[in-house]
């Protein structure tokens, strides 16, 4: 049974930092694309960043230069380091596992999702 469990969310002031973690189980961690999405109240779920099995990354323009995705295959854990946070980064953040090794940015290509962790950035 595939499970993804996020942690690390919280409340922070603008220009602060947070590090999210996503621990996976139930499948071979290194064999699939992984991603972070986010969803703010009354908005659609938004792709944030992907990392494929080769470690190649792709970032949404809104977070490029501020967020860094990484993973530790030995620990089955995905990370999202978020720096220089802005109030508009406030959202529920989800990690997701893709269908394949390669990554796409559309949410429909992600099969498994975590329960989410809330990030709130105050001005």
């Amino acid at each position: 049974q595939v499970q993804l469990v996020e942690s690390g969310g919280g409340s922070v002031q603008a220009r602060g930092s947070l590090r999210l973690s996503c621990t996976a189980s139930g499948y071979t961690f290194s064999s699939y694309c992984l991603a972070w999405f986010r969803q703010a109240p009354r908005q659609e779920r938004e792709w944030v960043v992907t990392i494929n099995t080769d470690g190649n990354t792709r970032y949404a323009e809104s977070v490029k230069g501020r967020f860094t995705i990484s993973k530790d295959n030995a620990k089955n854990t995905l990370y999202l380091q978020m720096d220089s946070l802005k109030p508009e980064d406030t959202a529920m953040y989800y990690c997701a596992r893709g269908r394949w090794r390669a990554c796409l940015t559309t949410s429909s290509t992600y099969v498994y999702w975590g329960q989410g962790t809330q990030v709130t950035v105050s001005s």
Side-chain angles (χ1 to χ4, degrees):
Q1 180 181 355
V2 175
Q3 285 192 315
L4 301 171
V5 180
E6 301 99 335
S7 61
S11 297
V12 64
Q13 290 191 324
R15 295 179 296 281
S17 297
L18 283 174
R19 188 194 196 202
L20 307 184
S21 299
C22 172
T23 301
S25 60
Y27 75 99
T28 304
F29 182 77
S30 59
S31 296
Y32 295 89
C33 167
L34 292 165
W36 289 97
F37 285 77
R38 66 186 181 185
Q39 187 167 19
R42 299 174 298 280
Q43 294 187 21
E44 293 191 356
R45 191 166 294 187
E46 173 190 29
W47 160 70
V48 176
V49 58
T50 57
I51 185 166
N52 68 10
T53 56
D54 294 328
N56 297 314
T57 60
R58 183 179 176 188
Y59 293 86
E61 284 298 322
S62 59
V63 306
K64 195 175 292 184
R66 300 187 299 119
F67 290 12
T68 304
I69 191 172
S70 62
K71 61 178 178 173
D72 186 332
N73 288 337
K75 295 183 178 179
N76 287 1
T77 302
L78 177 72
Y79 302 99
L80 183 64
Q81 177 66 42
M82 305 186 295
D83 298 317
S84 301
L85 282 161
K86 303 176 181 180
E88 50 264 44
D89 294 319
T90 295
M92 186 73 79
Y93 282 72
Y94 300 89
C95 65
R97 198 211 84 177
R99 297 180 183 272
W100 314 288
R101 290 179 175 271
C103 294
L104 297 177
T105 61
T106 52
S107 59
S108 61
T109 64
Y110 291 83
V111 181
Y112 297 99
W113 296 81
Q115 82 288 352
T117 186
Q118 178 68 37
V119 172
T120 302
V121 184
S122 59
S123 57

